[in-house]
Structure formats: structure tokens, C-alpha cells
């Protein structure tokens, strides 16, 4: 059960955790799923206020598509005796359940309603809808190879925002978002009635395929929020898997702006253009979950030198995503991090290579991909220090099944979602505000989505035979001390100053102080 409390500021929640700031009104959100081979996956959310059901939200996934997002394109309106499409009949059913209760529903052997007043607004098969609602009441979150985790946020003037994270075989499959206005009205349905003439179409370029946590979140949450907050006047057309540009050319591509106006920029692929952004990876431990999201989303206001570095490249930051914690994948038993001494370990970051060296390991440079797995498998490489999802993706656990990790072992990996600055400046004020509101809404659930995916991956790794252990706080502190990261940072700063980047020390200190402030909240 997720509890949401009305407060002046956003309140971020995940799973059973609860945070409250000056709470006035409490909400509960329960979620559940029901799977049918014939009809697909049904998702139900039950919203309660002071113990009373105020809203029910039901959706269906078939062939990866949300029936509610299809809206009038679902296609049954022309053949419906009610002249209503799927979403309209489901909306009627949702409201009926709120008023009468799930126990009042009567159906025939084909799953159609027998209640006369229910039939008057919903002639579709409601048996699966009812089962999903019952499963939400019981909080049944796994069925048919699927699992669901729900993240929520609340703000008094905007209402409740719900993100359902759907997993399939341990990986994020789809994120469904629902926005309820303060009066309980469905914001999506209100948006659909708005005028959507004069659409501004913007192309987004990404070097990764659609299918990992970051790309799915951008596609299903942020881009969707931009369209909704602009009332349909801004449409983002995403291109994935390097269709327009590879990672190393992303900055140049969006700076030009002819093929794509928005892209994702990875700072470590732009060391020359974004030297100050390299600092983030210089910390061996850091923030986790929503605090990590809040850290990156607020960094440009706190450290204007970083923002200036981006703007000097002709770009404007519209969103910042981040990465998963670090995990140590070892082909040999690894009782603790002392065990890596004298062993050959691979890591991509120049910071992490120094961390490994200071810990007594032998850093190995190797191109990412099948060769890393093969090296782990044949013994020429004994370990891999990498973000847990990347190790998961190449199935490193099959060759290196001994895994040590902690959410505090942050990667410091920032993904800058940037727009061509000229394009940004030509947007109307309403268009700019739509992006800003969409970012704020998306930030409110990103931490919960990341935590959900992190724990789900560890669960799958363990079920696949990996020996996964979470490091204790004392072990994390040992790693921080062993890396001697302060000396590495200072050496880097002196090198930057010698090359004319005089702000390096100042920026490092600002980032460090900002991180300390967040850590103090833990």
C-alpha cells in the first residue's frame, strides 16, 4: 500500500515506505494485475481517501499497447450499441464500482454485466476488469510472468500522479501513468477534449534501444507528460538505437538541430566539451533513489558553472536522468571487497580504474560487449565493476555469479536530455512551461521507478543462480576509504587548472557541498 499525504511540497513514495511533511489528508493507492492469454494484461489502481474509495483506474496492455492510451483509436465505437469506445465504457465501469462496490457486479457466463444500470454504460466483457479490481484489493502484483510496482506522488494543486511500472521477465516492459486532478477528475480525459491544432513536432534521438529503464521512462512518462502538459500542442517523435546518431555524436547532432532537436548526452562521451560534468563519477558512494533524482534535477541551479558549460554548446537542459548503482560481478567467490586485490577487473570510467588500482586490483581496459563476457568466462578477466543493469544486460552473472552491491555505491552517471538552444528559445512561453511541468511530474516518480527496477533485477539475478549480497554500511565505508577518491579528485583538478579550466576546484567543492546536504537528509 502506498500512502500519499497532502503537503505544500511533493512527497515521494515507493512500496511500503512512507514520508510525510505537514500532512493534512491521507490517501492510499492499491494496485494489482490480472492476466488473460486471450485478452492480455489488466491493471487496476484503487485510490482511497480516509478509507473510502474515491477513484478506480483500469487499463489493459495488449501487444505492448495501452488500451486507454489508444483512446478513440481502440476502434470499437463504430460497432458499439452505446456508440462508446473501450475507454469510455471502462470509465463508466470505474465510476459504477466506486459507487456500488465490486461485490455488486453480476456477470453472465461470457463475462458481460447483468446489472441493468451497468449494462447501460458498459456492454464490453467486464469479467477481466472485475478480476483486476479484486486483485488490486488483495494487492496481487504478480501473474502470468508479469509483475507490477507502483510509484505515486501528490501535490495539492495538481492532484495525484500514479506510475505503474510493469515488469516482464525481470525487465521493465512498460510504464503507465495516470494523473488525477485535485477534484478526482482524470486529467488525461480532460486533455483529450482540448484543441490540438498548431502542433510543434520535435525529433528526439537516442543511441540506446527502447527497452531499458531510462528509455522506457522517457518514452512512457516524460514525453507523454510533455504532450499532455502542452495540451497536445507539442509532440515528441523519438528515434532509438542510434537511428539518427551514435552516442559520441549526440552533442554535435543536436547542436546542429537539423536531424534532431532533442537528444540524450552522456558527459563521459564529451570530455572535451563538458569537462566539469566528469566530476560526478569521481565519488565512490553517493545518493540513492529519489534523493539521487533530486540531486541531479537541482544541480544546475546550485552550480551555474555546469549550466553555463551546457549552454556554451548551444544546448538547453530539459530533463536529467541518472543510472543504477555499481555492482561487483566476480567469477570467483568474493566474501568482501578485500578479495579483489591482485585480480584483473574491468571498469570503463577513468575514475573507477583509479579506484580499482588503489584497492590493489589490476584495472583492465576492454571494449564493452560479448568480449567482456567471454573474458570472464575463460578466466582472463576475474571481475567486472559496472552499473548493475549493464552487467545484467550482458548476462555477466552467467560467468561471474558472485555479486556484491549496494544502492550507496552510486555510478554518478548522468544522462542529460538536452534541446537545441535556438529551438528552445523559439518555443512559446506556454510550450516552455509545459516542458518544465512535465519534468517536475516525471522527477516525482523516477526515484521509485529506479528502486523498483533495481530490486527486481537483484531478485531475478538471485533466481537465476547468482550469489547476490548487499554490502553493509561498514563495507561501503571501507570501499570509500580504500579508493582514496579525494586524492584522485585533487589530482584531476590540478590537471584541469594546468589546462586552463580554472573553475574546476570551485565546481568540485560546490558539488561536494550539495551532495553533503542531501546526505544529511538521510
Amino acid at each position: 500500500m502506498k500512502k500519499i499525504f497532502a503537503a505544500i511540497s511533493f512527497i515521494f513514495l515507493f512500496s511500503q515506505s512512507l514520508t510525510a511533511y505537514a500532512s493534512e489528508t491521507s490517501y492510499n493507492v492499491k494496485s494489482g494485475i490480472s492476466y488473460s492469454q486471450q485478452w492480455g494484461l489488466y491493471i487496476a489502481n484503487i485510490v482511497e481517501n480516509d478509507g473510502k474509495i474515491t477513484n478506480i483506474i483500469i487499463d489493459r496492455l495488449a501487444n505492448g499497447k495501452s488500451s486507454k492510451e489508444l483512446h478513440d483509436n481502440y476502434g470499437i465505437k463504430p460497432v458499439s450499441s452505446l456508440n462508446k469506445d473501450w475507454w469510455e465504457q471502462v470509465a463508466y465501469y470505474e465510476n459504477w464500482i466506486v459507487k456500488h462496490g465490486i461485490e455488486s457486479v453480476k456477470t453472465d457466463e461470457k463475462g458481460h454485466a447483468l446489472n441493468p444500470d451497468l449494462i447501460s454504460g458498459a456492454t464490453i466483457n467486464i469479467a477481466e476488469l472485475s478480476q483486476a479490481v479484486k486483485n488490486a484489493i488483495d494487492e496481487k502484483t504478480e501473474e502470468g510472468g508479469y509483475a507490477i510496482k507502483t510509484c505515486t506522488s501528490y501535490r495539492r494543486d495538481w492532484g495525484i500522479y500514479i506510475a505503474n511500472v510493469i515488469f516482464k521477465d525481470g525487465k521493465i516492459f512498460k510504464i503507465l501513468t495516470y494523473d488525477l486532478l485535485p477534484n478526482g477528475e482524470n486529467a488525461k480525459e480532460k486533455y483529450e477534449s482540448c484543441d490540438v491544432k498548431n502542433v510543434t513536432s520535435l525529433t528526439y534521438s537516442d543511441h540506446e534501444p527502447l527497452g531499458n529503464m531510462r528509455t522506457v521512462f522517457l518514452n512512457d512518462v516524460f514525453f507523454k507528460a510533455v504532450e499532455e502538459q502542452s495540451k497536445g500542442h507539442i509532440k515528441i517523435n523519438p528515434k532509438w538505437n542510434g537511428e539518427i546518431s551514435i552516442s559520441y555524436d549526440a552533442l554535435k547532432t543536436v547542436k546542429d538541430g537539423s536531424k534532431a532537436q532533442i537528444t540524450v548526452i552522456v558527459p563521459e562521451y564529451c570530455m572535451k566539451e563538458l569537462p566539469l560534468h566528469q566530476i560526478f563519477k569521481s565519488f565512490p558512494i553517493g545518493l540513492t533513489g529519489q534523493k539521487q533524482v533530486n540531486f541531479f534535477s537541482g544541480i544546475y541551479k546550485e552550480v551555474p558553472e555546469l549550466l553555463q558549460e551546457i549552454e556554451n554548446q548551444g544546448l538547453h537542459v530539459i530533463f536529467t536522468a541518472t543510472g543504477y548503482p555499481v555492482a561487483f560481478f566476480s567469477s570467483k567467490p568474493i566474501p568482501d571487497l578485500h578479495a579483489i586485490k591482485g585480480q584483473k577487473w574491468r571498469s570503463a570510467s577513468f575514475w573507477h580504474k583509479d579506484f580499482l588500482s588503489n584497492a590493489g586490483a589490476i584495472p583492465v581496459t576492454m571494449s564493452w560487449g560479448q568480449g567482456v563476457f567471454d573474458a570472464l568466462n575463460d578466466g582472463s578477466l576475474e571481475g567486472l565493476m559496472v552499473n548493475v543493469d549493464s552487467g545484467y544486460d550482458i548476462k555477466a552473472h552467467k560467468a561471474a555469479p558472485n555479486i556484491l552491491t549496494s544502492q550507496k555505491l552510486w555510478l554518478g552517471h548522468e544522462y542529460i536530455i538536452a534541446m537545441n538552444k535556438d529551438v528552445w528559445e523559439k518555443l512559446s512561453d506556454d510550450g516552455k512551461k509545459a516542458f518544465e511541468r512535465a519534468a517536475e511530474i516525471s522527477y516525482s516518480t523516477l526515484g521509485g521507478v529506479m528502486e523498483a527496477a533495481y530490486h527486481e533485477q537483484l531478485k531475478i539475478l538471485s533466481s537465476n543462480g547468482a550469489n547476490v549480497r548487499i554490502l553493509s554500511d561498514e563495507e561501503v565505508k571501507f570501499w570509500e576509504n580504500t579508493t582514496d577518491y579525494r586524492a584522485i579528485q585533487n589530482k584531476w583538478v590540478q590537471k584541469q587548472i594546468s589546462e586552463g579550466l580554472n573553475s574546476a576546484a570551485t565546481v568540485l567543492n560546490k558539488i561536494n557541498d550539495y551532495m553533503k546536504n542531501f546526505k544529511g537528509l538521510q
Side-chain angles (χ1 to χ4, degrees):
M1 182 178 294
K2 279 63 61 178
K3 287 187 179 277
I4 314 164
F5 288 87
I8 294 176
S9 61
F10 270 125
I11 298 161
F12 304 110
L13 311 147
F14 171 71
S15 187
Q16 301 293 323
S17 65
L18 170 64
T19 306
Y21 300 96
S23 61
E24 297 174 356
T25 306
S26 63
Y27 288 87
N28 294 330
V29 178
K30 293 181 177 179
S31 302
I33 59 175
S34 176
Y35 179 72
S36 163
Q37 285 190 332
Q38 181 179 5
W39 300 107
L41 183 72
Y42 288 82
I43 303 99
N45 296 281
I46 297 175
V47 181
E48 300 175 336
N49 185 5
D50 294 328
K52 180 181 178 181
I53 295 177
T54 59
N55 295 87
I56 291 179
I57 304 170
I58 303 170
D59 205 345
R60 169 178 170 264
L61 277 181
N63 298 319
K65 295 183 179 180
S66 157
S67 295
K68 279 199 169 175
E69 289 178 353
L70 285 173
H71 210 65
D72 288 339
N73 292 324
Y74 188 92
I76 66 171
K77 188 171 185 176
V79 297
S80 168
S81 61
L82 300 173
N83 195 34
K84 290 183 177 181
D85 218 317
W86 189 89
W87 72 270
E88 295 172 289
Q89 297 190 47
V90 170
Y92 184 92
Y93 171 85
E94 292 167 345
N95 292 330
W96 195 95
I97 295 297
V98 170
K99 183 177 180 180
H100 299 283
I102 188 66
E103 68 282 351
S104 299
V105 177
K106 306 298 181 185
T107 59
D108 60 22
E109 67 279 0
K110 294 183 178 180
H112 296 285
L114 292 174
N115 310 73
D117 56 342
L118 183 51
I119 298 172
S120 67
T123 58
I124 59 175
N125 185 311
I126 63 168
E128 297 295 341
L129 305 181
S130 298
Q131 188 59 55
V133 172
K134 292 175 183 177
N135 287 355
I137 292 173
D138 295 336
E139 295 185 284
K140 184 177 180 180
T141 58
E142 296 186 20
E143 190 167 298
Y146 293 89
I148 184 175
K149 306 271 187 189
T150 299
C151 313
T152 56
S153 68
Y154 178 88
R155 201 171 90 171
R156 185 184 301 148
D157 54 342
W158 285 3
I160 302 169
Y161 190 78
I162 300 171
N164 292 144
V165 189
I166 312 298
F167 294 89
K168 184 178 182 181
D169 300 326
K171 297 193 69 173
I172 290 181
F173 178 68
K174 183 78 174 177
I175 302 175
L176 300 171
T177 59
Y178 309 98
D179 191 1
L180 294 180
L181 300 173
N183 62 3
E185 183 178 4
N186 191 310
K188 170 68 174 175
E189 293 172 12
K190 185 174 182 179
Y191 148 72
E192 288 291 344
S193 65
C194 296
D195 178 18
V196 293
K197 296 178 182 178
N198 301 319
V199 175
T200 297
S201 182
L202 301 172
T203 299
Y204 170 77
S205 171
D206 201 303
H207 59 278
E208 293 185 344
L210 178 62
N212 60 39
M213 187 282 298
R214 179 185 65 80
T215 56
V216 172
F217 188 89
L218 287 174
N219 189 70
D220 292 356
V221 182
F222 181 54
F223 295 164
K224 176 184 174 184
V226 169
E227 185 172 353
E228 292 182 352
Q229 292 303 311
S230 69
K231 298 180 180 178
H233 289 282
I234 296 176
K235 176 72 175 177
I236 297 177
N237 179 31
K239 301 293 183 181
W240 308 102
N241 205 23
E243 180 180 340
I244 291 179
S245 173
I246 63 172
S247 57
Y248 290 93
D249 293 336
L251 191 153
K252 180 175 63 176
T253 297
V254 79
K255 187 174 182 178
D256 172 80
S258 59
K259 295 181 179 179
Q261 297 76 51
I262 308 173
T263 194
V264 58
I265 294 173
V266 180
E268 65 182 300
Y269 300 154
C270 311
M271 292 187 184
K272 180 180 178 181
E273 296 87 352
L274 305 176
L276 293 175
H277 280 76
Q278 309 309 314
I279 293 174
F280 295 127
K281 283 200 168 185
S282 69
F283 297 90
I285 69 171
L287 305 161
T288 183
Q290 195 62 47
K291 286 188 176 68
Q292 183 179 192
V293 173
N294 295 350
F295 172 86
F296 278 112
S297 65
I299 194 68
Y300 293 107
K301 183 178 292 186
E302 292 293 323
V303 189
E305 293 91 340
L306 290 171
L307 182 60
Q308 189 61 53
E309 188 173 73
I310 291 286
E311 292 183 344
N312 287 344
Q313 297 299 320
L315 309 177
H316 179 82
V317 179
I318 58 174
F319 191 72
T320 54
T322 183
Y324 287 98
V326 165
F328 293 84
F329 291 78
S330 177
S331 60
K332 298 179 179 179
I334 181 170
D336 52 46
L337 290 175
H338 293 86
I340 71 173
K341 189 174 182 178
Q343 296 183 352
K344 295 179 180 179
W345 280 70
R346 189 266 186 196
S347 186
S349 168
F350 65 88
W351 300 102
H352 293 170
K353 289 176 184 177
D354 284 345
F355 293 172
L356 289 169
S357 182
N358 285 347
I362 304 169
V364 175
T365 300
M366 185 178 296
S367 297
W368 184 250
Q370 183 63 36
V372 174
F373 179 89
D374 293 341
L376 289 168
N377 203 38
D378 66 23
S380 57
L381 188 65
E382 292 158 292
L384 178 64
M385 179 186 175
V386 71
N387 45 308
V388 65
D389 56 315
S390 289
Y392 178 89
D393 286 343
I394 68 163
K395 304 187 185 308
H397 56 284
K398 297 295 184 182
N402 305 293
I403 303 170
L404 297 179
T405 186
S406 166
Q407 285 185 276
K408 293 182 179 179
L409 291 175
W410 88 327
L411 187 67
H413 204 59
E414 182 193 23
Y415 296 94
I416 304 168
I417 311 304
M419 182 185 291
N420 178 284
K421 192 174 181 180
D422 290 338
V423 173
W424 170 261
E425 291 177 348
K426 290 177 182 177
L427 289 176
S428 66
D429 288 342
D430 286 343
K432 292 175 182 176
K433 289 177 182 177
F435 271 102
E436 291 164 358
R437 288 194 300 268
E440 188 173 358
I441 288 170
S442 301
Y443 287 138
S444 73
T445 53
L446 178 55
V449 171
M450 290 186 65
E451 288 202 27
Y454 174 74
H455 291 293
E456 189 70 19
Q457 286 183 17
L458 295 188
K459 176 182 174 182
I460 297 299
L461 285 169
S462 296
S463 68
N464 286 343
N467 303 310
V468 181
R469 186 170 73 83
I470 306 297
L471 295 170
S472 67
D473 289 346
E474 292 76 15
E475 289 176 300
V476 170
K477 189 65 178 177
F478 162 78
W479 175 250
E480 181 182 39
N481 293 334
T482 299
T483 62
D484 197 13
Y485 74 99
R486 292 293 189 193
I488 298 172
Q489 287 178 337
N490 291 334
K491 182 180 178 181
W492 179 85
V493 165
Q494 294 307 313
K495 182 177 184 297
Q496 301 308 309
I497 292 175
S498 70
E499 295 177 356
L501 188 62
N502 296 323
S503 60
T506 300
V507 171
L508 174 60
N509 290 334
K510 286 183 178 181
I511 293 175
N512 190 47
D513 290 343
Y514 188 49
M515 184 181 290
K516 282 182 180 178
N517 290 337
F518 273 95
K519 285 183 177 179
L521 296 175
Q522 293 180 336

